[in-house]
Amino acid sequence: MKNIRNFCIIAHIDHGKSTLADRLLQTTGTISDREMQNQALDDMDLERERGITIKSHAIQMNYKHEGQDYILNLIDTPGHVDFSYEVSRSIAACEGALLIVDASQGIEAQTISNLYLAIEHDLEIIPILNKMDLPGAMPEEVSDQIIELLGCKMEDIIQASGKTGLGVDKILDAIINRVPAPKGDESAPLQAMIFDSVFNPFRGIIAYFRVRNGVLKKGDKIKFFNTGRDYNADEIGVLKINPSLHPRNEIKAGDVGYIISGIKQANEVKVGDTITLFDNPCQESIKGFEDVKPMVFAGIYPVDTEDYEELRYSMEKLQLNDSSLVFEPESSAALGFGFRCGFLGMLHMEIIQERLEREFNMTVITTVPNVSYYAYMKKDVDVRLIVNNPSELPDPSGMDRIEEPYIKAQVITKSEYVGAIMTLCIEKRGELRNQVYLTQDRVELTFEMPLAEIVFDFYDRLKSVSRGYASFDYHPVGYKESDLVKMDLLLNAEQVDALSALVHRSNAFNLGKKLCLKLKELIPRQQFEIPVQAAIGAKIIARETIKALRKDVTAKCYGGDISRKRKLLEKQKEGKKRMRQVGRVEIPQDAFMAILKLND
């Protein structure tokens, strides 16, 4: 066990951790130059296209150091704020972390929040200054930021470049010399923590785990501690590249491996669960694991209602590879049957939608994202109703108050953009709580604001007002009372429940006006006139009219008496009126997504 090192890589999005992981794989000879490709650990097309890591990936490397053979288990993690849940799982399975900071950009918000996660788990942190080959690198300045944050010495910081391979040997030496070997007792009952799972269509669910105590042998009868179910360990092994699964006969304490036991159901494998032996179980499960909390809720509906069962199947398969996705069935008057899904954030929602289309050929309609609120009634003030969907909101006359979730948001930016960012946050009902200058021109702003306000276009607008120089991170701080109203949208006097939203009273009029204008552009003209209205209760607060397509019925009446033309026009008017009574308005998919981009 003394020759095993378990470590993960943490960094802000785009600081070059996947590239650096590629160099580590190449230097240790885990992957040959012939098989090498950029972002070797990212196996989804989507990850390569967008240049981001969506899922954590574990891999084992063998390295010879001073005549000794070492086993290095690396877990590469995502850097975007939406996927911090993946990061927390990876951190729980390691003893050390490489903290990568871009030498040209400095420390950003996600770097700090992931660092705090690692410190909470008592990980040994190795700071690395990446992208040293760039002409815009500022090593002295960024090193000072790292020293201030970590309290380390200048010589502890390793200067490296993922592109050129500079400093990779030093990183490997630091992992061996500074990261502690895993502790564990091989003679104790088996205790292993599941930190990830993937679905294989031929073999069922493959669970990745880290053994704390004991030994797991092939063919052992195992039990999952929290779900209480038992299985046989049909195949166990370690994770490599090409092929990624290397079977072994036993995996001992301190090592990371995979297990295949023919499980087909997603809900049977809980990430964070403890694997133990059926005959000789451990006394308690491994702690340090929390349930995922979805932040953003949206409805996902099949375009064709007949595809409902297929969509359910696709979502279940997706959930195996992404345990942070939660969903439950719901129905809508406008869209039929579908699912109410919980996501970690807007990027997560976009990724899920894209994966449904690519991996399962499912075209879906996504409704307006929202968050969950608490409603308290006048009759029974102690009873709290959870409102996930605006249509579930009880009658306002019997309601005592509504509470909405608040978050603590941290924004790190250059000092020249502070004014613009403050204006944006205050417009989004945020309150400035703290302002700290990290260096002369880098500021950390802390706001308290409603989660519902950042669900829409906050992240995009933050990037544009700061020209891409602001980084953002948030965590929930609880619920507060707010003056919220339900805003409905009426099309041709029919309410479209999929477009309803809970908004703050002060913001309702502006939002209603913008929404009506946007829908007027997007909904195609029909044979009859369509009024588009935004309403709070029975009060209409905004209206736009989509004009009817008119056929020139008087074209054949040239010259002659005006009454003949009038008669034809009256007849046409009657027809339009009748059409409007029976006509249904089809809403295009862009209309549902348009609400997210109201300020464009």
Side-chain angles (χ1 to χ4, degrees):
M1 210 191 305
K2 67 179 198 301
N3 286 6
I4 296 176
R5 297 289 180 272
N6 298 322
F7 68 98
C8 60
I9 299 185
I10 53 178
H12 188 80
I13 189 167
D14 241 7
H15 278 207
K17 61 189 166 322
S18 296
T19 317
L20 202 64
D22 290 351
R23 292 297 85 75
L24 291 172
L25 294 176
Q26 255 181 316
T27 310
T28 55
T30 309
I31 188 166
S32 66
D33 292 345
R34 185 174 63 85
E35 294 167 328
M36 189 63 207
Q37 55 175 343
N38 287 341
Q39 290 171 264
L41 288 177
D42 295 346
D43 48 15
M44 270 186 251
D45 299 342
L46 207 56
E47 290 179 311
R48 289 224 162 75
E49 277 168 32
R50 291 183 174 227
I52 56 176
T53 304
I54 294 169
K55 259 194 90 50
S56 325
H57 297 272
I59 188 156
Q60 191 177 88
M61 304 183 285
N62 295 44
Y63 185 60
K64 212 178 181 71
H65 177 71
E66 295 173 358
Q68 289 247 6
D69 286 328
Y70 286 89
I71 291 173
L72 311 178
N73 290 314
L74 152 71
I75 301 176
D76 179 23
T77 63
H80 193 277
V81 51
D82 280 7
F83 302 112
S84 46
Y85 174 65
E86 291 269 338
V87 182
S88 73
R89 304 193 316 208
S90 311
I91 284 174
C94 296
E95 278 84 29
L98 304 183
L99 178 78
I100 295 181
V101 181
D102 185 331
S104 61
Q105 290 182 20
I107 282 176
E108 304 208 32
Q110 196 60 30
T111 321
I112 294 179
S113 82
N114 286 345
L115 173 70
Y116 288 154
L117 262 179
I119 291 173
E120 270 172 43
H121 282 81
D122 286 340
L123 263 61
E124 175 64 39
I125 291 165
I126 301 173
I128 294 166
L129 211 52
N130 197 17
K131 304 197 183 179
M132 285 299 293
D133 57 316
L134 289 183
M138 311 173 288
E140 289 82 14
E141 211 171 298
V142 182
S143 296
D144 290 343
Q145 290 176 22
I146 294 176
I147 291 167
E148 204 170 311
L149 188 66
L150 276 177
C152 60
K153 298 189 183 75
M154 191 69 168
E155 52 270 21
D156 292 343
I157 301 170
I158 301 170
Q159 298 193 351
S161 161
K163 196 185 272 182
T164 61
L166 165 82
V168 173
D169 299 341
K170 286 183 187 165
I171 294 173
L172 288 164
D173 292 350
I175 291 167
I176 286 163
N177 297 326
R178 281 153 65 175
V179 174
K183 295 179 180 69
D185 182 1
E186 287 185 15
S187 56
L190 176 70
Q191 205 183 19
M193 182 185 79
I194 301 176
F195 65 86
D196 204 357
S197 68
V198 294
F199 180 77
N200 182 311
F202 306 108
R203 315 196 61 183
I205 293 175
I206 303 172
Y208 297 163
F209 61 90
R210 148 83 200 268
V211 185
R212 282 283 160 90
N213 295 313
V215 178
L216 175 62
K217 295 193 170 102
K218 186 180 174 179
D220 277 347
K221 191 173 185 185
I222 55 158
K223 184 175 108 176
F224 285 2
F225 203 91
N226 292 337
T227 56
R229 294 169 181 263
D230 54 281
Y231 308 96
N232 286 328
D234 299 337
E235 186 185 306
I236 57 171
V238 295
L239 300 148
K240 295 278 181 93
I241 272 192
N242 296 348
S244 55
L245 307 177
H246 277 245
R248 294 274 165 91
N249 286 328
E250 62 175 28
I251 292 177
K252 298 180 176 173
D255 217 340
V256 172
Y258 71 88
I259 179 166
I260 299 175
S261 43
I263 306 170
K264 292 283 188 288
Q265 289 296 321
N267 51 11
E268 292 180 27
V269 179
K270 290 261 187 288
V271 168
D273 204 345
T274 303
I275 302 176
T276 186
L277 290 178
F278 186 77
D279 304 326
N280 181 16
C282 55
Q283 294 308 305
E284 55 178 32
S285 60
I286 298 170
K287 289 187 177 53
F289 237 85
E290 68 224 64
D291 263 349
V292 55
K293 292 187 194 73
M295 289 288 183
V296 175
F297 295 88
I300 285 189
Y301 293 85
V303 173
D304 199 341
T305 30
E306 291 163 8
D307 296 341
Y308 173 72
E309 280 305 321
E310 204 169 313
L311 179 62
R312 176 198 290 277
Y313 176 76
S314 309
M315 301 274 273
E316 281 170 359
K317 290 282 175 284
L318 249 185
Q319 201 177 28
L320 300 177
N321 284 347
D322 185 350
S323 54
S324 45
L325 168 70
V326 287
F327 63 89
E328 56 185 43
E330 76 161 1
S331 64
S332 143
L335 300 168
F337 291 104
F339 295 96
R340 182 108 200 118
C341 307
F343 306 100
L344 300 178
M346 292 300 289
L347 178 75
H348 186 211
M349 176 174 141
E350 226 175 284
I351 297 287
I352 294 289
Q353 205 178 337
E354 188 112 346
R355 285 183 68 185
L356 279 172
E357 283 181 14
R358 285 185 185 209
E359 295 171 27
F360 304 100
N361 292 328
M362 292 294 310
T363 7
V364 292
I365 292 176
T366 316
T367 64
V368 189
N370 59 10
V371 296
S372 57
Y373 301 89
Y374 290 153
Y376 294 85
M377 305 308 284
K378 281 178 186 166
K379 276 184 185 170
D380 213 342
V381 185
D382 301 335
V383 176
R384 179 173 85 180
L385 299 174
I386 297 174
V387 180
N388 281 334
N389 198 342
S391 58
E392 295 169 5
L393 191 72
D395 181 24
S397 57
M399 210 158 45
D400 182 49
R401 65 184 193 280
I402 303 182
E403 292 184 353
E404 64 174 332
Y406 267 68
I407 55 161
K408 187 177 173 188
Q410 281 171 306
V411 179
I412 296 182
T413 182
K414 288 194 165 183
S415 49
E416 62 203 79
Y417 304 117
V418 169
I421 288 171
M422 277 190 181
T423 313
L424 171 67
C425 292
I426 289 163
E427 182 193 318
K428 295 278 188 187
R429 299 191 283 136
E431 289 175 19
L432 184 66
R433 287 280 181 246
N434 200 357
Q435 181 176 357
V436 183
Y437 276 81
L438 301 171
T439 61
Q440 284 168 336
D441 68 335
R442 282 179 81 76
V443 192
E444 181 184 26
L445 302 168
T446 309
F447 289 93
E448 210 164 271
M449 59 204 296
L451 176 63
E453 294 288 346
I454 68 153
V455 164
F456 287 134
D457 53 355
F458 179 78
Y459 199 64
D460 299 344
R461 284 183 63 194
L462 178 72
K463 284 289 180 210
S464 55
V465 296
S466 65
R467 305 213 177 109
Y469 277 112
S471 61
F472 171 69
D473 185 44
Y474 64 88
H475 55 265
V477 290
Y479 281 71
K480 285 187 184 177
E481 191 178 335
S482 276
D483 183 14
L484 298 169
V485 289
K486 180 183 169 198
M487 186 178 77
D488 292 317
L489 256 138
L490 309 173
L491 269 186
N492 198 11
E494 275 186 32
Q495 186 189 331
V496 184
D497 58 350
L499 288 174
S500 298
L502 277 176
V503 292
H504 197 264
R505 198 182 292 274
S506 62
N507 201 8
F509 176 75
N510 283 339
L511 194 69
K513 187 81 186 142
K514 282 181 182 171
L515 207 50
C516 290
L517 277 167
K518 197 79 172 180
L519 288 174
K520 184 184 173 184
E521 287 170 28
L522 290 166
I523 293 175
R525 286 168 68 182
Q526 314 277 335
Q527 292 280 332
F528 52 94
E529 199 174 81
I530 310 167
V532 181
Q533 297 163 311
I536 294 173
K539 184 184 174 190
I540 304 289
I541 54 168
R543 168 178 172 143
E544 291 293 329
T545 309
I546 301 170
K547 292 277 180 247
L549 286 168
R550 280 192 55 186
K551 180 182 171 190
D552 190 359
V553 286
T554 58
K556 58 181 180 285
C557 298
Y558 43 89
D561 189 4
I562 185 73
S563 57
R564 285 181 61 205
K565 289 186 182 175
R566 176 94 355 108
K567 189 178 167 190
L568 283 168
L569 287 171
E570 288 297 327
K571 196 174 166 191
Q572 186 186 30
K573 206 170 172 182
E574 280 300 311
K576 298 269 184 213
K577 199 170 170 185
R578 208 167 38 249
M579 242 182 205
R580 194 176 138 184
Q581 281 165 0
V582 297
R584 297 231 17 170
V585 184
E586 290 291 316
I587 308 171
Q589 159 73 23
D590 347 345
F592 292 104
M593 295 318 287
I595 302 176
L596 311 183
K597 302 187 173 67
L598 280 181
N599 287 328
D600 291 6

